[in-house]
Amino acid sequence: MTLPNDPEEQCGYGAFSLPKDHPFLVSCKMHDRLFESRDSGFKTLTRKQADKALLDSMLKIARERKSFSLRLQAYAYYALARAFGGLFW
C-alpha cells in the first residue's frame, strides 16, 4: 500500500507535519528529494541509506544549535521515517 504524494515538504504527512519554520525542514526536503529521485529511476541509495542521511543531517543541525531537544527530535523523526517510510518508497 502506498499513500499519495504530499504536496508539502514538512517532515511528515499532511496534518502530521512539522511547522514551516522548523529547523529540520532543509533535512526533510533533502530526504524527499532522495525519495523522488528513486521515483525518477535513480536508485543511488537504499531507503535505509536515505533515512540515515536524514538522521545525519538533523543531528548536524542539532549540534550546530547545541540543542538537546532537537537531538531527541532527530532520533524520533528517524524512527518515524524507518517505521513509515516504506509507505512512500
Side-chain angles (χ1 to χ4, degrees):
M1 175 183 131
T2 59
L3 295 172
N5 284 337
D6 186 355
E8 300 291 328
E9 296 174 310
Q10 293 180 234
C11 261
Y13 188 83
F16 302 101
S17 298
L18 289 178
K20 291 182 186 269
D21 61 347
H22 197 283
F24 288 162
L25 283 184
V26 69
S27 302
C28 296
K29 288 181 180 189
M30 175 265 317
H31 188 249
D32 286 352
R33 296 293 178 276
L34 292 172
F35 272 53
E36 288 170 6
S37 69
R38 179 193 168 273
D39 292 341
S40 300
F42 297 100
K43 297 178 183 170
T44 57
L45 297 177
T46 65
R47 184 178 143 236
K48 187 173 185 176
Q49 290 169 323
D51 292 346
K52 180 70 166 80
L54 172 67
L55 175 62
D56 292 345
S57 178
M58 292 186 296
L59 288 175
K60 181 180 180 207
I61 292 166
R63 277 192 305 275
E64 288 170 353
R65 293 179 178 233
K66 297 178 173 72
S67 173
F68 183 71
S69 173
L70 286 177
R71 184 180 167 117
L72 290 176
Q73 289 177 49
Y75 284 108
Y77 285 113
Y78 173 73
L80 289 169
R82 293 304 303 148
F84 298 106
L87 295 173
F88 304 94
W89 187 254

